[in-house]
Amino acid sequence: GNSVTQMEGPVTLSEEAFLTINCTYTATGYPSLFWYVQYPGEGLQLLLKATKADDKGSNKGFEATYRKETTSFHLEKGSVQVSDSAVYFCALTRGNQFYFGTGTSLTVIP
Amino acid sequence: EPEVTQTPSHQVTQMGQEVILRCVPISNHLYFYWYRQILGQKVEFLVSFYNNEISEKSEIFDDQFSVERPDGSNFTLKIRSTKLEDSAMYFCASSGDRGYSEKLFFGSGTQLSVL
């Protein structure tokens, strides 16, 4: 079947620290991969995506590379800010459906 | 940027009661979805809706659930007789011009608590 597994949180980092949130997937065929972010009190928003192997999605200083050999799509940012505090969801699409992970809560402290 | 609006943000109900969760999708969107997230679990697909009918639904979406677009702007999810296990955050989403557009716009969710 299709599923996404992401690292459990919560994650707490100091401002300017390096961030990695791990995500691995199981899917038939070649899914598209996404990271969505949910800021407090808001809906899920698309952060970045990659549609084929070796593609790198990037936005707002965040990056993730579609690794087919390791079935992974880890989210990274070199220097986090307090404003990055949110819940991050890894997801894939197959057919007409999205499959989400459980979400990883990130808190960045000044 | 246009947004999807959900009301109420929190809903508390007694087991066995009917609830209606409301959503106003982005006005020119054609595809509408409901997802839910039970605390600590994954965000799960419930149902998709296009052209005034259900296009796809998951195993979770049984006879207790129904969706409706009553007036061309609202998109509602009804649970006829709530159970304790229906307690979750329910997210509405909409997308534009394709049945599986890769950019879903989500609302901020309705937290449903069944007592």
Side-chain angles (χ1 to χ4, degrees):
Chain A
N2 301 303
S3 68
V4 170
T5 303
Q6 61 181 106
M7 67 183 280
E8 294 192 12
V11 174
T12 302
L13 294 174
S14 297
E15 206 165 23
E16 299 183 2
F18 184 85
L19 169 71
T20 300
I21 301 178
N22 289 338
C23 172
T24 57
Y25 67 90
T26 302
T28 55
Y30 303 98
S32 294
L33 302 174
F34 305 82
W35 278 99
Y36 274 79
V37 59
Q38 185 181 26
Y39 298 104
E42 300 182 16
L44 281 73
Q45 303 172 26
L46 179 64
L47 179 60
L48 54 85
K49 70 176 185 181
T51 57
K52 61 183 188 295
D54 300 325
D55 267 3
K56 178 186 283 187
S58 61
N59 186 24
K60 299 182 182 179
F62 291 89
E63 293 183 340
T65 301
Y66 189 144
R67 301 280 187 207
K68 187 168 179 291
E69 63 276 13
T70 55
T71 61
S72 65
F73 193 56
H74 304 321
L75 182 68
E76 296 182 336
K77 186 173 185 181
S79 175
V80 293
Q81 306 299 314
V82 172
S83 56
D84 294 326
S85 297
V87 181
Y88 293 82
F89 293 87
C90 187
L92 67 85
T93 55
R94 285 298 291 149
N96 290 351
Q97 287 199 29
F98 271 75
Y99 299 86
F100 287 89
T102 53
T104 301
S105 174
L106 170 67
T107 300
V108 180
I109 54 177
Chain B
E1 183 171 80
E3 58 182 28
V4 175
T5 305
Q6 287 187 245
T7 55
S9 56
H10 293 88
Q11 175 92 43
V12 180
T13 189
Q14 296 291 324
M15 190 170 57
Q17 295 295 306
E18 174 183 285
V19 293
I20 298 176
L21 309 183
R22 302 181 191 281
C23 170
V24 179
I26 293 171
S27 61
N28 61 345
H29 281 184
L30 301 175
Y31 298 85
F32 313 110
Y33 309 82
W34 283 100
Y35 287 79
R36 77 173 186 189
Q37 185 180 27
I38 295 171
L39 186 64
Q41 298 184 24
K42 297 184 178 185
V43 176
E44 302 171 296
F45 169 76
L46 293 178
V47 66
S48 59
F49 191 86
Y50 169 71
N51 199 27
N52 283 319
E53 61 182 23
I54 290 172
S55 50
E56 200 161 354
K57 61 183 181 179
S58 71
E59 291 177 356
I60 302 168
F61 195 89
D62 61 22
D63 291 344
Q64 291 300 311
F65 291 88
S66 62
V67 289
E68 196 176 36
R69 189 155 162 80
D71 56 13
S73 62
N74 290 284
F75 179 52
T76 61
L77 174 69
K78 181 192 290 186
I79 309 174
R80 287 190 185 81
S81 178
T82 50
K83 308 184 191 69
L84 295 177
E85 55 265 35
D86 294 327
S87 296
M89 178 71 86
Y90 288 80
F91 292 104
C92 174
S94 68
S95 65
D97 56 354
R98 296 175 65 190
Y100 47 97
S101 170
E102 293 182 341
K103 186 169 184 180
L104 296 184
F105 290 80
F106 284 86
S108 56
T110 294
Q111 181 65 55
L112 176 65
S113 298
V114 181
L115 305 179

